[in-house]
């Protein structure tokens, strides 16, 4: 295939092939939850239960599933998936939507908010979702917005959430 090409042309072709591969990975990470996780969490070790959760989260994001309960043993990445990676992926796909994250303490909810906010602000995230960023004046860990009017709000039990709406409501112990 590359016979007859100059060294310059070969280098340009290899560069284009590399860009094509990156574009395919970006598209896969945008459309599907599990490729997104693998892209942004290189040390992630996949199990069958992750595939099941990923398919379920995709249905939630598309509006095909309105309520879901995940009940699996501790230390199986339930919270990392549902309270960290899912909100980031959801806002990447729907940067104008609203998320409310509830936990048994405000500290835990805000901790999730901080992790999600930092991920959305990262260069690696921008490689997957280049048009999504934090709103310039949005820095609080438990309450922040995207550059496209999406919102993330973290709240603990007993906190006031009256008047808030959500396209995605996550309740995590």
């Amino acid at each position: 295939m590359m016979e007859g090409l100059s060294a310059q042309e070969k280098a340009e072709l290899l560069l284009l092939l590399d860009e094509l591969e990156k574009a395919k990975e970006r598209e896969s990470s945008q459309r599907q939850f599990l490729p997104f996780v693998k892209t942004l969490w290189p040390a992630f070790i996949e199990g069958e239960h992750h595939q099941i959760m990923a398919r379920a989260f995709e249905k939630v994001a598309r509006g095909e599933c309105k309520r879901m309960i995940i009940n699996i043993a501790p230390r199986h990445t339930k919270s990392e998936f549902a309270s960290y990676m899912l909100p980031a992926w959801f806002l990447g796909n729907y940067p104008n939507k609203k998320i409310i994250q509830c936990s048994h303490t405000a500290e835990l909810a805000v901790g999730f908010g901080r992790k999600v906010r930092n991920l959305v602000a990262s260069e690696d995230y921008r490689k997957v979702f280049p048009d999504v960023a934090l709103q310039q004046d949005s820095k609080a860990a438990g309450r922040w917005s995207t550059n496209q009017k999406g919102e993330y709000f973290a709240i603990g039990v007993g906190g006031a959430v009256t008047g808030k709406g959500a396209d995605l409501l996550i309740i995590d112990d």
Side-chain angles (χ1 to χ4, degrees), residues 33-82:
F33 181 72
L34 207 49
F36 171 77
V37 170
K38 292 175 184 178
T39 297
L40 291 168
W41 186 3
F44 170 71
I45 299 170
E46 180 179 344
E48 188 175 340
H49 65 290
H50 296 115
Q51 296 168 12
I52 294 167
M53 283 192 292
R55 286 190 300 270
F57 290 158
E58 290 167 8
K59 287 180 181 180
V60 168
R62 290 190 303 263
E64 297 169 11
C65 177
K66 299 294 183 187
R67 291 184 180 95
M68 176 189 312
I69 295 175
I70 299 172
N71 188 10
I72 58 176
R75 314 307 309 165
H76 280 73
T77 61
K78 178 177 66 241
S79 292
E80 289 298 303
F81 261 41

Side-chain angles (χ1 to χ4, degrees), residues 92-106:
N93 281 288
Y94 308 100
N96 60 331
K97 301 261 181 158
K98 296 173 179 22
I99 295 175
I100 295 177
Q101 167 74 48
C102 302
S103 291
H104 73 283
T105 66

